[in-house]
Amino acid sequence: MSMGEALYLECERAGTLLRPPATNQLLVRVPTGKDVVRLAKRLADQGYYLVTMVGTDERELVDHCYKLTYLFSHPTEDLFLFVENPVRGDRYRSIFGQYRAVDPFERALVAMLGLYPQLKRSRRLIEGTWLHDCYPPKLYPLRRDRAPVETVARIEQHVGTQHSAGIELPPNGEWLLPVGPVHAGVIEPGRFLFRLAGEVVEELGVRLGYTHKGIEGLFQMRYTLLDGWRLAEHVSGDSAFAHSLAYCRAAEALASLEPPVEAKLLRILFLELERMTNHIGDCAALARDVAQDIAASALAALREELMRLAGRLTGHRMLRGVNRPGGVLLPGSLDLAIAQSVIRQVAGQFAGLAENLARSPAFRNRLQWVGILSRQQAFELGATGLVARASGLQRDFRLQHPDGPYGDEVIRELVVQGLPGHGSIAAREASAGDSFARFLVRAREVRSASRIIQYILSQPELATAETHFIERPSFHPARNFEFGLGHAEGWRGAVVYWVMQDKFGRIYRCQVRDPSVLNWPSLKAAVEPHALDNEYLALYKPPRPEVDSIVPDFPVINKSFNLSYSGSDL
């Protein structure tokens, strides 16, 4: 019996199997919170990965309740499991004991829908951790019985009232160092509160939400299924293409639509171009943070070359305005020769710069064993994308859940070449979970992405003067209040969109999951003191069995993660 068949039987025992949204998906409705926890325990024991958790207000629909939908990814097969749990009232059973990765989603549900998990005293979820106290209490903006005008009026009335700092004083001998939310660089706001004993960081408090934009509310108030891509590509600017692609795939799932072959190839090309551009930019920023200014400037120049190429190919340096539900639109015909030349040149120059940095004693010494996130920690916290891979977790939606050309054997092999792998010294360094490993994984993924792009550019389907590769979708009333799943393995990790249509061809609910939502807790864990597990000690042989950080380590660790504030401040 395969693991997929075993899962099917497991779901039959846990609840009622419903018609799945797609062939690689299972949907089960589990009636009680106890049953959800019981099923979550079995899934955790088998290595299933929690992708996201969605809360919907369906009190005006046929079931007259809130609904929680948990999305799990099969550990080895291309299979998703949706677990749907009706919630009557505002309390539900938490699966935090089985999946710590559920924490940011539960915090969001407290603020956005007023749904509270039943918790032990050791874990507190209170209002104000997602929407700050500059918002009125009990706002719950995603409840369907709250008119937008009423929500705006309550916020405006609350502006200017007194707010508490909400900071507890540390014990004697320790002190607090707040950094942010306004920073010296041109970056988005976030507050980091360091509790220090001398120079050592004992605890790191991360507070986001300073740029809360009401993204999910805007989807359901102002956008149709056809034009939701316009908002999706503004969720996180440096991942505009990954977000718009994930949204379009969700809309296409609802329309049961397959885009043209040319569109599928172009989507992978631009997704990998976005990956190359941002990884090179991050390598430049890491080099600058450790005073390698010459290398940083050279790397920044390579990033600029790729951004100019993106503008030449798509009409926008950030790859906006390309995706549509049903395919891709280009401003002009592709110049394949120029694209091949730029990618080949940039990849070659980057390889030399990255190798020189990796061999530089000053660079290695500053990054190695700094900000360690072990494989065990990454697994428990549900880390995703580059962060997970640099800690030895082989998680990549391009391999686990391939869409379109990622199913091609040549492309799959090129994706695998970007993973750290096992065995060699270089592979161990790239999976050690420290800041140096995250640099090395970026370098590997740049090389892998460049080869994928060159392979796609050689495909005969793209040797055309056409610019419109699109099938117009049609959203059928028969699928009213059903949902579609869309995902894309962006350069930070998997971007996931869960979209439910209403009976007017609009969006009833759109839940956005940027990879940073799952990786912020991993950043916190990497900075705070912790003992390394026996598996890590045996495999990597670090200089000390425990690790801690000092304040000057934080800029390096933070940059090695380079998480999105905007992707979390929805």
Side-chain angles (χ1 to χ4, degrees):
M1 180 187 296
S2 70
M3 288 188 72
E5 292 170 330
L7 175 63
Y8 191 91
L9 294 175
E10 197 81 60
C11 292
E12 275 193 320
R13 288 192 291 266
T16 304
L17 283 163
L18 306 177
R19 183 171 71 86
T23 55
N24 68 334
Q25 298 171 14
L26 283 178
L27 171 60
V28 59
R29 179 175 295 171
V30 178
T32 70
K34 288 183 179 179
D35 293 321
V36 172
V37 172
R38 193 177 298 118
L39 178 58
K41 185 178 187 309
R42 288 196 286 268
L43 295 175
D45 291 341
Q46 296 173 45
Y48 281 79
Y49 172 80
L50 179 67
V51 177
T52 192
M53 174 190 182
V54 186
T56 53
D57 182 357
E58 300 185 26
R59 291 174 296 167
E60 62 187 3
L61 303 184
V62 64
D63 291 325
H64 304 293
C65 64
Y66 296 102
K67 285 214 186 124
L68 301 179
T69 303
Y70 301 86
L71 174 58
F72 298 94
S73 168
H74 196 288
T76 57
E77 299 178 20
D78 179 17
L79 180 63
F80 288 107
L81 169 64
F82 294 92
V83 178
E84 184 181 282
N85 176 218
V87 175
R88 306 190 186 280
D90 60 1
R91 301 278 169 175
Y92 63 93
R93 289 286 295 270
S94 173
I95 63 168
F96 182 80
Q98 294 72 42
Y99 285 94
R100 290 178 62 189
V102 81
D103 182 73
F105 306 117
E106 291 188 340
R107 292 181 184 276
L109 287 179
V110 168
M112 307 307 287
L113 278 170
L115 298 182
Y116 293 80
Q118 297 169 359
L119 300 175
K120 297 179 180 178
R121 290 184 178 180
S122 58
R123 179 172 172 252
R124 294 173 61 209
L125 292 188
I126 59 173
E127 292 193 41
T129 59
W130 198 265
L131 288 182
H132 297 178
D133 51 8
C134 58
Y135 292 91
K138 303 186 185 303
L139 186 65
Y140 310 144
L142 290 185
R143 285 190 176 181
R144 303 290 299 191
D145 58 357
R146 304 287 173 98
V149 174
E150 176 191 344
T151 300
V152 171
R154 288 194 60 203
I155 294 172
E156 290 176 346
Q157 290 171 6
H158 190 72
V159 170
T161 58
Q162 285 293 113
H163 312 305
S164 102
I167 297 176
E168 296 182 8
L169 295 178
N172 291 334
E174 297 181 351
W175 57 293
L176 296 177
L177 174 64
V179 176
V182 179
H183 300 277
V186 185
I187 62 173
E188 292 185 85
R191 190 195 74 186
F192 302 103
L193 184 63
F194 299 88
R195 181 167 64 84
L196 304 171
E199 290 187 327
V200 175
V201 179
E202 295 293 332
E203 184 180 13
L204 171 64
V206 180
R207 192 176 201 189
L208 307 175
Y210 292 94
T211 56
H212 175 71
K213 303 171 287 294
I215 289 288
E216 294 180 346
L218 288 172
F219 269 116
Q220 61 192 49
M221 286 188 293
R222 298 187 181 178
Y223 289 86
T224 67
L225 291 164
L226 271 177
D227 66 6
W229 62 271
R230 298 179 184 276
L231 182 58
E233 65 182 16
H234 287 83
V235 169
S236 183
D238 54 19
S239 302
F241 193 84
H243 272 269
S244 65
L245 176 54
Y247 173 83
C248 288
R249 284 174 170 169
E252 289 158 7
L254 283 168
S256 301
L257 175 68
E258 280 289 320
V261 172
E262 297 90 343
K264 292 181 178 181
L265 288 168
L266 287 170
R267 283 174 167 180
I268 303 308
L269 188 157
F270 296 137
L271 188 65
E272 296 300 324
L273 179 57
E274 188 172 70
R275 190 183 319 280
M276 271 190 80
T277 303
N278 284 288
H279 282 336
I280 290 175
D282 277 359
C283 290
L286 268 172
R288 195 172 304 282
D289 270 4
V290 297
Q292 301 286 322
D293 287 347
I294 294 176
S297 298
L299 289 167
L302 295 182
R303 174 180 178 270
E304 174 62 22
E305 286 295 318
L306 292 181
M307 295 194 73
R308 290 181 180 181
L309 176 63
R312 183 167 186 164
L313 296 178
T314 69
H316 199 288
R317 288 163 56 89
M318 304 297 287
L319 297 168
R320 289 179 181 162
V322 179
N323 275 316
R324 301 288 191 283
V328 166
L329 301 180
L330 296 179
S333 57
L334 285 173
D335 192 331
L336 300 179
I338 288 293
Q340 285 273 22
S341 174
V342 171
I343 294 297
R344 192 180 302 113
Q345 177 185 355
V346 168
Q349 292 182 23
F350 174 80
L353 290 166
E355 185 175 353
N356 288 341
L357 279 174
R359 290 182 174 181
S360 163
F363 187 79
R364 291 174 65 95
N365 291 343
R366 188 64 190 92
L367 271 68
Q368 226 167 4
W369 312 123
V370 173
I372 295 175
L373 181 77
S374 71
R375 182 184 182 280
Q376 180 179 323
Q377 287 176 299
F379 181 77
E380 289 177 354
L381 293 170
T384 186
L386 175 138
V387 170
R389 293 192 283 275
S391 293
L393 286 179
Q394 302 294 308
R395 291 288 316 174
D396 192 316
F397 270 35
R398 294 175 295 173
L399 297 175
Q400 268 90 34
H401 305 289
D403 194 297
Y406 283 125
D408 182 294
E409 286 302 319
V410 174
I411 294 181
R412 285 182 67 84
E413 178 56 34
L414 293 175
V415 171
V416 170
Q417 290 177 15
L419 302 180
H422 302 284
S424 67
I425 293 176
R428 288 201 300 274
E429 285 186 335
S431 61
D434 56 13
S435 298
F436 188 57
R438 290 183 281 275
F439 166 80
L440 293 177
V441 171
R442 280 188 168 84
R444 285 169 175 257
E445 291 194 7
V446 167
R447 179 181 62 189
S448 168
S450 70
R451 292 174 177 176
I452 293 172
I453 292 171
Q454 292 183 71
Y455 175 75
I456 290 176
L457 288 170
S458 69
Q459 299 306 297
E461 291 88 346
L462 296 187
T464 174
E466 291 293 322
T467 59
H468 286 46
F469 310 98
I470 190 164
E471 294 285 341
R472 185 170 178 83
S474 177
F475 300 101
H476 305 289
R479 301 203 66 175
N480 288 344
F481 305 112
E482 293 186 10
F483 64 84
L485 176 70
H487 57 80
E489 183 71 27
W491 65 277
R492 284 193 179 96
V495 178
V496 180
Y497 275 66
W498 185 97
V499 180
M500 176 187 281
Q501 75 174 58
D502 70 7
K503 59 185 177 182
F504 303 109
R506 301 184 68 86
I507 298 170
Y508 188 84
R509 175 81 168 93
C510 177
Q511 196 250 16
V512 182
R513 200 225 68 185
D514 185 89
S516 297
V517 171
L518 287 175
N519 287 339
W520 280 109
S522 294
L523 170 65
K524 173 180 168 69
V527 172
E528 293 177 345
H530 56 278
L532 297 169
D533 55 86
N534 292 333
E535 177 191 44
Y536 189 96
L537 295 173
L539 185 58
Y540 299 106
K541 299 178 174 55
R544 294 186 298 133
E546 302 91 15
V547 291
D548 52 35
S549 308
I550 59 175
V551 173
D553 290 333
F554 180 73
V556 174
I557 301 170
N558 191 29
K559 183 54 65 178
S560 75
F561 278 77
N562 192 16
L563 305 179
S564 172
Y565 298 82
S566 184
S568 300
D569 292 352
L570 298 175

